[in-house]
Amino acid sequence: MSSDYVESRVASQRRIAFRDDTPMVGPPGTTATDFKMPRLRRCPFTLDSMIWEARVDGGIDGYVWKVSFGAKGPFALKVFWDAEPVDFPTYYAPQRECQNAALLQMIQTAGEQEAAASRAVLVNAKPTTWDDAVANLAAFSDEARLAQPARADHASVMPPRFHQVSTIPRMKRCYGWLTIPGHVLRELDWSLRPPPVQVDMIKRHLAFDREYIAIVYEFVEEGESDPDTVQKALDFFWLAGFSRTFSPLSKNWKSGVLVDLSDIIPPRGYGWKADLYEKGPGSPCT
């Protein structure tokens, strides 16, 4: 693989915006443009009010802490190892998770709006191609939903190949992105500082002289994941256009909720996998 290709691929990836400086207040926009270029809004909480409560765990993409903001919490704070896209073709974890968090928030909003109007979102019931995936994701947009028939007419006008999405599986709530200066990590008590993490042959760490991207999520308590609940979520992600990764992990699910959003890939995201998508939603990993 030539160095010119690597530089071109990294440069192209960097040009895709995935963060929005607008504070996350109120529901997100759900236009077709929003779905084509998902950008996660900034967390409205201030770094000065953050209380680091405990380390949770780390993986290939980042390290997670249990935190609170003043009297609000607890939350999960995920800080990503890579401050910049790496210099070889692979996904950029902050980009993938910001895009996924933004898309899932938009999908949730669209689902709530349709439910309030006693309507459902119509998607291809058996998507297999990238075009199918893009179309199914776009079905949650304002424009697509306005063009759909009223729910009372669905039975008479809906082609058999379509599926009515009337409920959205439980999703981990996201509160937006923020940045964590390295000196903040250096000033933590030793019991809270991020340890190096080794995944297979890759060793990860956070340096104190860099600034890192982080995402604030709801803190999902440990709990067993019912296989049927997980399967319904996997089915939904597939219907919404997301592909699986080659190595999904069971530990990325807690209490039936996907807690690591890098485990799914949006159709316009780097690394979306046509061969896996064609095979369907898959089953709960063991």
Side-chain angles (χ1 to χ4, degrees), residues 20 38 116 131 143 207 215 220 239 267 270:
D20 186 342
D131 287 336
E143 293 87 342
I215 299 179
V220 180
L239 285 172
Y270 182 89

Side-chain angles (χ1 to χ4, degrees), residues 15 69 83 105 127 157 174 210 214 226 266 286:
R15 284 196 295 269
F69 291 88
Q105 192 176 66
V157 302
C174 178
R210 305 294 300 274
D226 174 65
T286 56

Side-chain angles (χ1 to χ4, degrees), residues 6-271:
V6 172
E7 291 177 4
S8 174
R9 190 66 189 88
V10 171
S12 176
Q13 188 172 359
R14 284 177 173 167
R15 284 196 295 269
I16 301 174
F18 58 92
R19 290 183 289 170
D20 186 342
D21 279 327
T22 304
M24 187 178 286
V25 179
T30 52
T31 67
T33 298
D34 293 323
F35 276 93
K36 286 180 180 178
M37 299 184 65
R39 295 191 298 167
L40 186 64
R41 292 174 292 168
R42 179 187 288 273
C43 180
F45 308 145
T46 62
L47 192 59
D48 291 342
S49 68
M50 187 166 68
I51 302 169
W52 302 74
E53 297 186 9
R55 296 190 310 204
V56 178
D57 197 8
I60 191 67
D61 295 325
Y63 201 86
V64 178
W65 283 263
K66 184 178 183 180
V67 303
S68 58
F69 291 88
K72 299 177 181 178
F75 301 96
L77 175 76
K78 183 170 184 177
V79 180
F80 296 93
W81 304 117
D82 294 322
E84 300 287 344
V86 293
D87 59 356
F88 59 88
T90 186
Y91 72 94
Y92 182 39
Q95 182 182 60
R96 177 180 288 181
E97 285 216 25
C98 282
Q99 290 174 337
N100 281 341
L103 285 170
L104 293 179
Q105 192 176 66
M106 288 188 279
I107 288 171
Q108 185 79 45
T109 298
E112 291 171 354
Q113 291 172 348
E114 292 302 285
S118 298
R119 291 166 55 96
V121 177
L122 302 184
V123 298
N124 185 336
K126 295 183 179 180
T128 57
T129 67
W130 182 80
D131 287 336
D132 292 340
V134 169
N136 273 12
L137 181 59
F140 291 89
S141 69
D142 295 340
E143 293 87 342
R145 289 184 286 125
L146 285 172
Q148 291 179 166
R151 189 167 187 174
D153 299 330
H154 281 180
S156 59
V157 302
M158 185 177 68
R161 68 188 184 90
F162 279 85
H163 172 78
Q164 298 184 39
V165 177
S166 55
T167 59
I168 308 296
R170 162 100 158 85
M171 302 290 179
K172 180 175 68 168
R173 184 172 178 181
C174 178
Y175 294 88
W177 67 270
L178 45 75
T179 54
I180 305 292
H183 71 81
V184 171
L185 301 172
R186 183 180 60 237
E187 293 165 2
L188 291 174
D189 183 84
W190 282 101
S191 64
L192 292 170
R193 287 190 185 183
V197 172
Q198 184 151 345
V199 180
D200 296 327
M201 300 296 291
I202 302 173
K203 192 170 185 178
R204 302 293 237 155
H205 74 282
L206 295 171
F208 297 147
D209 60 348
R210 305 294 300 274
E211 184 173 77
Y212 294 96
I213 298 171
I215 299 179
V216 180
Y217 294 106
E218 71 166 291
F219 187 84
V220 180
E221 298 289 349
E222 293 285 349
E224 292 295 323
S225 291
D226 174 65
D228 290 340
T229 300
V230 174
Q231 187 62 61
K232 288 179 181 178
L234 291 173
D235 292 346
F236 176 80
F237 291 140
W238 174 64
L239 285 172
F242 295 85
S243 82
R244 295 173 280 146
T245 62
F246 281 121
S247 55
L249 298 174
S250 59
K251 74 172 187 176
N252 291 337
W253 295 81
K254 293 182 180 180
S255 303
V257 178
L258 179 63
V259 295
D260 188 341
L261 296 190
S262 283
D263 246 12
I264 55 175
I265 310 170
R268 287 189 173 88
Y270 182 89

